[in-house]
Amino acid sequence: MDYQQAYKKLERYGQLHVLKYYGELTKEEKQALLAQIEETDFGNLKYCRDNVTNKKGKITPLAAMQLEQIEKNREQYTAIGLETIRQGKVAAVLLAGGMGTRLGSDEPKGMYDIGITKEVYIFQRLVENMMDVVRQADAWFHLFVMTSDKNHQMTVDFFEEMEYFGYKKEYVHFFIQDMVPASDYEGKVYMEEKGKIATSPNGNGGWFSTMNKKGLLGLIRKTGIEWLNVFAVDNVLQRIADPCFVGATIANGCVAGAKVVKKASPDEGVGALCLEDGRPSIVEYYELTDEMKEAKNEDGELAYNFGVILNYLFNEKVLEKIVDGKLPLHIVEKQIPYLDENGKYVEPDKPNGYKYETLVLDMIHQVDNCLPYEVERSREFAPIKNPTGVDSVESARELCRLNGIEL
Ligand code: UTP
């Protein structure tokens, strides 16, 4: 793209300020900026908080497969899952492109050491959990790791340095998620350098389309992978490629499954798996009306009582049909470092604009059916979002201790 073309594109989207410092840039910087303008989609920025209507349809409950029922069928489900893993049909996808802002570390969240008497990194805990399944199935399964521009190199270097925590290197594949521009409240993109538009990772909803873009579908097809278990970096107790979960999803003829836990309270900040206009969907706790919060099912239990923990199983063929453009855009307020009108770099101490994200949870609404599969929260849910307090390093350490994991 040359200067004239860039000018026209920016003019169309009302973003001409991007070229304000063009004259001051070196030849290389000019080229880099023109390339960034060419590849940037400014279309989403026309939204602002007020006119995004991620309106929900009619919400009704979706019964979860609960612990008791799972226990009754555990042997059968596990056998199906293990066989599917041995046939190479299951792979895992670790979403590790987030910024981990709340934890407040400059390094990728997975590099955080939660150990007390020894080093125990978050990535290490996840790999240890995967190794349990590798031993049980006596077979390796592929792991895809999504990173972002901001943490890719550090993540790859760390896995190398730690020798993949004992996992088989040939089975680990990294890919970088896309970035999108971050803007002020009027939708004007910020500049983080005179020749660079401020960007942030595009959320965790783009993982499959990015895998596709990066050519990983070739590997999936070649190796015959049929199921992808996608999970977040921060839950250090979760079971990954859990044979019983895989088997239960297959045995029940579902194209997707979601691990869920009983909510600690109706107001707990986790999304509940339900039906929306008859299709599976996740409704956030703040979207539930008081009436829904109190609604009971025929067994007298709360009807919207199962929260998702960002551990989903998807049939790969079904994922291929999900079009990115169908996922709603979430607009999140954020502190965005930027150049002010005098060209001075500013790191704001409060939110000053929006980042634009799509979310993996919205993919659930794109599939025909999804099995809500209950797991015991004290055994499988120890998310690390904050350094202390709720969902923190402290609470996760305590849960690890309860599960006999040495730290
Ligand atoms: P969170 O919503 O907890 O975001 O991500 P975060 O970036 O890790 O943390 P905060 O909100 O800044 O404190 C849930 C999961 O989705 C991944 C994260 O790495 C985490 O595993 N994620 C999030 C991505 O892979 N890419 C993104 O753009 C955002």
Side-chain angles (χ1 to χ4, degrees), residues 160-211:
E160 278 289 330
E161 187 193 330
M162 295 292 156
E163 298 179 342
Y164 292 76
F165 306 100
Y167 211 76
K168 216 176 194 172
K169 184 176 167 175
E170 302 85 84
Y171 280 77
V172 183
H173 317 273
F174 297 93
F175 65 102
I176 306 179
Q177 73 177 97
D178 295 333
M179 303 292 282
V180 284
S183 77
D184 66 14
Y185 294 117
E186 268 70 56
K188 295 245 182 285
V189 297
Y190 276 117
M191 298 300 288
E192 66 183 35
E193 291 170 25
K194 290 186 173 175
K196 194 163 180 231
I197 299 167
T199 56
S200 75
N202 65 345
N204 58 26
W207 63 276
F208 187 74
S209 62
T210 310
M211 283 179 79

Side-chain angles (χ1 to χ4, degrees), residues 77 80-81 84-85 90 227 229 241-251 313:
Y77 291 160
I80 297 172
T84 315
I85 293 167
V90 179
W227 295 93
N229 179 201
D242 176 349
C244 190
F245 177 41
V246 173
T249 307
I250 295 173
L313 186 69

Side-chain angles (χ1 to χ4, degrees), residues 204-342:
N204 58 26
W207 63 276
F208 187 74
S209 62
T210 310
M211 283 179 79
N212 190 352
K213 238 192 272 172
K214 308 273 160 151
L216 289 168
L217 242 53
L219 176 73
I220 287 178
R221 289 190 181 132
K222 201 173 90 201
T223 51
I225 294 167
E226 290 180 6
W227 295 93
L228 291 171
N229 179 201
V230 58
F231 63 101
V233 70
D234 44 40
N235 177 4
V236 290
L237 280 185
Q238 66 190 314
R239 310 309 300 166
I240 298 150
D242 176 349
C244 190
F245 177 41
V246 173
T249 307
I250 295 173
N252 285 278
C254 290
V255 294
K259 286 201 167 184
V260 294
V261 291
K262 253 194 196 122
K263 286 204 208 173
S265 72
D267 283 331
E268 188 184 2
V270 292
L273 194 51
C274 59
L275 291 175
E276 177 186 350
D277 296 333
R279 294 175 74 79
S281 184
I282 290 161
V283 60
E284 294 292 348
Y285 68 102
Y286 52 80
E287 293 172 315
L288 288 176
T289 59
D290 287 345
E291 195 186 326
M292 285 158 118
K293 279 182 200 161
E294 282 154 29
K296 302 256 167 71
N297 63 20
E298 61 232 28
D299 298 327
E301 295 169 326
L302 291 173
Y304 298 95
N305 203 23
F306 289 94
V308 287
I309 60 170
L310 217 172
N311 187 311
Y312 303 105
L313 186 69
F314 287 100
N315 182 283
E316 194 274 328
K317 286 280 165 296
V318 170
L319 284 169
E320 288 186 33
K321 289 190 207 131
I322 298 180
V323 186
D324 250 11
K326 273 202 199 156
L327 296 181
L329 202 63
H330 293 257
I331 296 181
V332 187
E333 264 192 289
K334 190 188 173 223
Q335 286 161 237
I336 306 156
Y338 69 102
L339 294 188
D340 68 12
E341 55 281 12
N342 305 315

Side-chain angles (χ1 to χ4, degrees), residues 4-5 25 60 86 94 102 150 174 202 205 237 250 272 291 295 306 327-328 335 367 377 392 403:
Q4 281 313 322
Q5 290 164 324
L25 304 178
T60 49
R86 282 190 200 110
L94 165 56
R102 284 168 285 174
K150 309 256 178 200
F174 297 93
N202 65 345
L237 280 185
I250 295 173
E291 195 186 326
F306 289 94
L327 296 181
Q335 286 161 237
V367 300
R377 67 186 290 150
S392 67
N403 283 280

